Amino acid sequence: MKRRQAILGITLLGAGSVAFSGFKWISWYKKPDLVYIHSQKKLLAALAETIIPATDTPGAIDAGVPNFILKMVLENTLKVSQNRFIEGLKAVDPYSISRFGKSYIKCSRKEQNEVMRHFEKDGKPFEGIPGKVERKLIGNSFFTTLKEYTCVGYYTSMTGATQGLAYVFTPGHYTGCIPLFAGQKSWAIR
Amino acid sequence: MTPIPVKNNGKELYTYDAIVVGSGISGGWAAKELCEQGLKTLVLERGRNVEHITDYPTSEKSAWEFPYRLSTVLQDRRQSPVQSSCPVYNEATKHFFVNDQEHPYIQEKPFSWIRGYQVGGRSLTWARQCYRLGELDFEANAKDGIAVDWPIRYREIEPWYDYVEKFVGISGQAEGIPHLPDSQFLPPMELNCVETHLKQQIRRHYKDRILTIGRVANLTRGWNGRGPCQHRNLCNRGCPFGGYFSSNSGTLPAAAHTGNLTLRPDSIVAEVLYDERKNRATGVRVIDAHTHEVTDYYARIIFLNASTIATASILLNSVSSRFPNGLGNSSDQVGRNLMDHFMMGGAQGEFEGFQDQYYSGRRPTGFYVPRFRNISPETRSKDYLRGFGYQGRGERAEWGELYRGTSGFGESLKATLATPGPWNVVMGAWGETLPYDDNRVTIDTQERDQWGLPLVRVNFKYRENEINMRPDIKNSAAEMLEKAGFKKVEKFYFDQPPGSAIHEMGTARMGRDPKTSVLNAFNQMHDVKNVYITDGSCMTSSACQNPSLTYMALTARACAHAVSEMKKLNL
């Protein structure tokens, strides 16, 4: 009983401190505008590339991440997170235009990073249990979803796993302790 | 009940020396032992056939070959909420789990009944951890005055542990602990450096605790034509190298090799047929999973290995005027005393050292900290009986953990995710559950499944003794990590529904007295001598060790008994 009350308390606290209106909550539970996402493939690609850019190894676009994000958002995301994602996507260009006078894809990498920082700050979830309750009630923020799907999409792609990390499908052995050599990448799978 | 049209014209066509119901880890052993002893054996499996290697469709696939890259699939969570709660359920393994919609049961209180209806059953997806029970476990009920006494002691099962282990192939390290006897081991897998550090620190700080590498049915060298393990850690998809033990890779091929095996998939056993005049089971009634056609099969002996809850439900559904409450149920113990280990409590911590060390290959096991409570007068707990063992592993954080905890994006994020992160150890307990007669499986009087069989009802909850163990589970793990110099030590207890450990047992327990138990010391029904039950339902107490090894040993022992009784014409 005590535990349940405690959870309820946290739930109320969490909901209260998010301080969003009932209207917003309803808007996140409406039927998501999935058609809109299809029209934004270029923007999606640019956003994913900002999360994981091409460096000495390929980036998100090279690894086919935009299509993975699209598939996940369309088919494998809770409605409330879908709505928040679409809402976030719709807010990107207005923000980048207000800041830099041009759409996101026209921005320089530095400007894109500025825009992304804004959305990261905006979508920062609570830590610990309030964060879990928040996620349950209102799903993930636009930035959280974008970052998660970009990372998962990249590191589970052939390109990302084999070039961004160290990938051995059939090791044939296990050695418990080996010295790490300079520049050694993490294993892609456990 | 309306008469069912039964196809059994030409009875001899449907007659065998032995029938084994179920082809999972214990049914596979019954099949092998009975076939090798020369009995024409019919193995009935309710699910589809799964051939070793050819029916492991995902075993060679990389993450990018799965539509959702092995992440949680919402549709599965909705359609099969119970099965998909299993940590190894994913896009690569879900074909080895049932669909909750197709196989309903009634949870009077939350209880996760995780199932794999196919040839090989859950031996395809098991965690492969193999630990012997010790004398401490076999004596426990008698000493504590709990439930009934086990009718056997360690020395009686010991040669059968040896026997099955020599076939299965279990890698592990001999430690000479009386209450966790060593198996016949293949070479152990290695601990990594953080685990070795923890092992040394535990040895330094505690005189009655140790850490050892997991004892696991993965082959560290070629064994009986199987393996060795390739350290892919993709076991739950089925192993094309035969690197771990399953019915499909081990016992069923051995049974087939004798020429005595008839394996019949898609065969749902509705009940055991009973002849009151002879006081014998005569066979089983089978419903074809697809056509719903009903066929009776006959045999001199019957082994029930359908899994704990299913075996109880078959017995409860086998009614006659002699056994109105279910076959061999004069004790009223069938379906009672359901147990499962409780898990998901423990602690985790980070270790700051060994930054220049890593590991190579993927080890399909973690480490084990054997039970250290209530093993001697000095280790007695005032709060609870019995105890728990920890399973855990040490690893460096990799991208899957790091992306959540690392703020930012771009080049710096990418560099962080590509570099091995801090070492961490997670350890969680598997705790012993006591047998309670009202933790119980029954069959519903109204609701039926698509084959017309009554739905199973499960009524289970943890009691005081289990709940009292939780603080110690969390605190002891955290204390060991802290003493070993770990930082950011956090205790956890995820309150998963019972059943989640997938160690159901106890619903047809062994015992000395027919009035209070279902099976005798050889897993033979007290009431109906030609029926043997050697799956988890036979367990008189749960101990805290992963139980499959004990089911295998008891099965081989029961088969030897059955064959010897047949030769003496007692059966």
Side-chain angles (χ1 to χ4, degrees):
Chain A
M1 192 62 201
K2 257 188 194 157
R3 203 174 136 267
R4 217 167 253 184
Q5 278 169 342
I7 288 179
L8 189 67
I10 291 163
T11 307
L12 295 174
L13 179 79
S17 56
V18 173
F20 53 85
S21 67
F23 173 74
K24 192 144 204 173
W25 194 78
I26 290 164
S27 82
W28 287 343
Y29 274 90
K30 73 185 179 201
K31 196 162 178 282
D33 185 2
L34 298 179
V35 179
Y36 173 77
I37 300 192
H38 282 288
S39 68
Q40 296 301 316
K41 277 190 180 173
K42 274 187 187 154
L43 175 58
L44 207 52
L47 291 164
E49 191 71 12
T50 306
I51 301 283
I52 299 192
T55 51
D56 56 335
T57 55
I61 292 174
D62 297 325
V65 170
N67 280 335
F68 176 72
I69 298 175
L70 198 62
K71 186 174 176 65
M72 288 293 279
V73 172
L74 293 175
E75 298 171 13
N76 199 28
T77 300
L78 289 172
K79 197 195 275 185
V80 53
S81 297
Q82 277 180 330
N83 274 317
R84 291 185 72 183
F85 188 82
I86 292 161
E87 208 170 85
L89 209 53
K90 286 180 175 170
V92 171
D93 274 345
Y95 181 80
S96 87
I97 289 166
S98 76
R99 240 349 253 290
F100 302 109
K102 48 195 163 182
S103 65
Y104 191 79
I105 54 172
K106 297 258 167 65
C107 285
S108 69
R109 187 184 267 202
K110 197 163 163 271
E111 290 163 344
Q112 286 177 337
N113 287 346
E114 283 293 308
V115 175
M116 191 63 83
R117 259 192 287 281
H118 165 77
F119 284 95
E120 178 176 27
K121 199 161 156 257
D122 200 38
K124 196 173 190 302
F126 289 101
E127 285 182 8
I129 290 169
K132 277 183 193 165
V133 174
E134 180 197 4
R135 196 156 60 242
K136 200 155 194 180
L137 280 177
I138 57 171
N140 285 323
S141 72
F142 165 66
F143 179 82
T144 302
T145 301
L146 176 69
K147 183 171 169 181
E148 172 165 343
Y149 291 174
T150 304
C151 291
V152 172
Y154 182 76
Y155 291 108
T156 61
S157 71
M158 190 195 278
T159 304
T162 60
Q163 297 181 55
L165 297 169
Y167 186 82
V168 184
F169 189 68
T170 304
H173 71 95
Y174 177 79
T175 311
C177 225
I178 53 163
L180 201 62
F181 59 82
Q184 184 173 345
K185 291 194 170 77
S186 268
W187 300 115
I189 41 176
R190 293 231 145 99
Chain B
M1 236 172 108
T2 49
I4 304 164
V6 175
K7 185 184 82 178
N8 67 349
N9 42 339
K11 193 173 170 177
E12 56 286 356
L13 265 176
Y14 301 97
T15 300
Y16 296 81
D17 296 326
I19 290 172
V20 176
V21 179
S23 64
I25 207 143
S26 67
W29 267 98
K32 171 183 174 297
E33 295 302 296
L34 298 173
C35 285
E36 287 181 348
Q37 291 297 319
L39 303 190
K40 295 285 179 196
T41 303
L42 172 67
V43 174
L44 296 165
E45 165 53 53
R46 70 169 296 159
R48 67 192 170 92
N49 193 22
V50 171
E51 288 283 349
H52 183 44
I53 301 175
T54 37
D55 289 330
Y56 303 153
T58 57
S59 65
E60 298 287 3
K61 286 191 174 174
S62 290
W64 54 84
E65 294 172 80
F66 297 94
Y68 302 107
R69 309 276 180 85
L70 306 173
S71 57
T72 305
V73 180
L74 289 180
Q75 204 185 340
D76 294 338
R77 298 289 309 186
R78 285 190 201 109
Q79 278 185 356
S80 266
V82 174
Q83 308 306 313
S84 64
S85 72
C86 177
V88 304
Y89 180 105
N90 61 33
E91 288 178 283
T93 59
K94 66 181 178 187
H95 48 283
F96 292 146
F97 291 82
V98 302
N99 180 318
D100 284 331
Q101 314 283 326
E102 290 168 16
H103 300 283
Y105 66 104
I106 298 162
Q107 305 178 50
E108 292 184 18
K109 300 185 187 76
F111 185 95
S112 294
W113 187 19
I114 313 264
R115 290 160 287 168
Y117 289 165
Q118 65 259 332
V119 167
R122 297 181 294 195
S123 78
L124 285 164
T125 49
W126 68 313
R128 309 165 308 284
Q129 297 289 312
C130 290
Y131 303 95
R132 289 188 182 192
L133 269 56
E135 193 67 340
L136 185 72
D137 301 308
F138 290 107
E139 286 178 346
N141 279 5
K143 282 195 168 165
D144 297 334
I146 296 287
V148 299
D149 188 17
W150 277 89
I152 57 170
R153 287 295 178 261
Y154 179 66
R155 66 178 176 281
E156 286 158 274
I157 193 174
E158 184 179 20
W160 295 100
Y161 277 133
D162 288 341
Y163 176 77
V164 296
E165 285 160 1
K166 283 176 189 160
F167 183 80
V168 169
I170 297 164
S171 70
Q173 175 69 53
E175 301 282 2
I177 306 167
H179 63 280
L180 191 79
D182 295 325
S183 291
Q184 300 284 333
F185 286 130
L186 300 185
M189 293 185 190
E190 293 177 14
L191 294 170
N192 61 39
C193 31
V194 80
E195 293 166 340
T196 302
H197 167 77
L198 181 59
K199 177 192 171 94
Q200 288 162 349
Q201 292 296 310
I202 288 174
R203 187 181 291 153
R204 207 183 115 203
H205 291 284
Y206 302 92
K207 66 177 186 329
D208 41 27
R209 297 186 199 180
I210 66 151
L211 180 152
T212 190
I213 183 70
R215 298 174 175 180
V216 67
N218 284 70
L219 302 168
T220 43
R221 57 183 156 94
W223 195 248
N224 292 324
R226 294 176 272 126
C229 172
Q230 297 298 305
H231 294 93
R232 310 182 328 148
N233 200 20
L234 300 173
C235 314
N236 308 115
R237 303 176 181 186
C239 184
F241 303 92
Y244 75 94
F245 176 83
S246 63
S247 297
N248 313 62
S249 71
T251 44
L252 291 175
H257 184 71
T258 63
N260 292 325
L261 174 71
T262 303
L263 174 62
R264 199 179 189 286
D266 304 309
S267 302
I268 301 169
V269 171
E271 62 178 298
V272 178
L273 304 169
Y274 173 72
D275 183 331
E276 283 188 37
R277 236 169 359 93
K278 296 180 185 154
N279 188 29
R280 288 172 67 88
T282 53
V284 295
R285 179 153 295 173
V286 168
I287 303 172
D288 186 288
H290 302 297
T291 65
H292 293 215
E293 192 176 50
V294 176
T295 310
D296 288 348
Y297 292 92
Y298 305 95
R300 276 176 70 189
I301 56 166
I302 291 160
F303 269 70
L304 291 180
N305 300 86
S307 86
T308 294
I309 293 173
T311 288
S313 75
I314 290 170
L315 292 172
L316 293 171
N317 198 40
S318 305
V319 292
S320 56
S321 52
R322 164 79 177 84
F323 294 114
N325 302 320
L327 186 80
N329 193 17
S330 63
S331 65
D332 192 33
Q333 292 298 316
V334 171
R336 295 186 184 273
N337 314 302
L338 179 65
M339 298 171 275
D340 181 41
H341 291 137
F342 54 97
M343 49 170 218
M344 303 318 288
Q348 59 189 21
E350 248 182 56
F351 195 77
E352 285 169 358
F354 306 120
Q355 288 309 303
D356 55 349
Q357 300 292 315
Y358 208 17
Y359 37 76
S360 171
R362 294 185 294 281
R363 196 185 55 195
T365 183
F367 61 74
Y368 194 67
V369 177
R371 180 175 148 188
F372 51 82
R373 286 284 186 240
N374 296 321
I375 58 172
S376 63
E378 303 81 65
T379 58
R380 186 150 300 149
S381 162
K382 61 177 172 34
D383 300 321
Y384 60 84
L385 300 169
R386 317 291 167 93
F388 51 86
Y390 288 111
Q391 293 177 33
R393 62 193 305 148
E395 275 163 339
R396 297 195 73 155
E398 284 156 4
W399 72 270
E401 297 83 40
L402 291 172
Y403 80 81
R404 286 196 181 90
T406 310
S407 61
F409 52 87
E411 284 185 34
S412 68
L413 175 72
K414 196 181 174 197
T416 303
L417 301 191
T419 313
W423 286 95
N424 56 73
V425 163
V426 182
M427 54 199 286
W430 264 243
E432 173 161 1
T433 298
L434 296 177
Y436 303 98
D437 64 2
D438 51 347
N439 274 349
R440 191 176 181 191
V441 174
T442 52
I443 52 174
D444 196 76
T445 52
Q446 308 290 325
E447 286 195 73
R448 287 172 183 264
D449 66 14
Q450 57 179 301
W451 298 279
L453 295 171
L455 291 198
V456 167
R457 304 182 71 95
V458 184
N459 188 337
F460 184 101
K461 67 170 186 199
Y462 290 123
R463 314 294 162 98
E464 204 184 339
N465 197 64
E466 293 77 40
I467 291 163
N468 285 353
M469 223 181 278
R470 291 181 187 183
D472 197 10
I473 280 173
K474 292 189 282 188
N475 296 337
S476 296
E479 185 194 89
M480 284 188 276
L481 292 173
E482 276 160 4
K483 284 192 175 176
F486 283 75
K487 299 284 156 61
K488 297 186 195 166
V489 174
E490 274 178 53
K491 301 170 194 175
F492 58 83
Y493 203 98
F494 303 113
D495 220 347
Q496 301 279 24
S500 300
I502 327 183
H503 290 170
E504 319 91 73
M505 45 190 143
T507 52
R509 70 183 175 198
M510 295 166 75
R512 299 174 194 276
D513 184 352
K515 289 197 193 73
T516 57
S517 60
V518 181
L519 307 171
N520 68 13
F522 290 97
N523 298 71
Q524 193 177 21
M525 286 196 111
H526 287 299
D527 290 342
V528 188
K529 295 289 187 212
N530 66 331
V531 176
Y532 288 78
I533 301 177
T534 66
D535 59 19
S537 48
C538 74
M539 300 289 279
T540 313
S541 70
S542 73
C544 66
Q545 296 90 319
N546 304 51
S548 295
L549 178 65
T550 299
Y551 307 164
M552 294 193 260
L554 288 172
T555 303
R557 182 170 175 270
C559 288
H561 182 263
V563 169
S564 137
E565 289 289 284
M566 285 170 92
K567 280 185 185 150
K568 291 184 208 153
L569 301 177
N570 290 337
L571 283 178

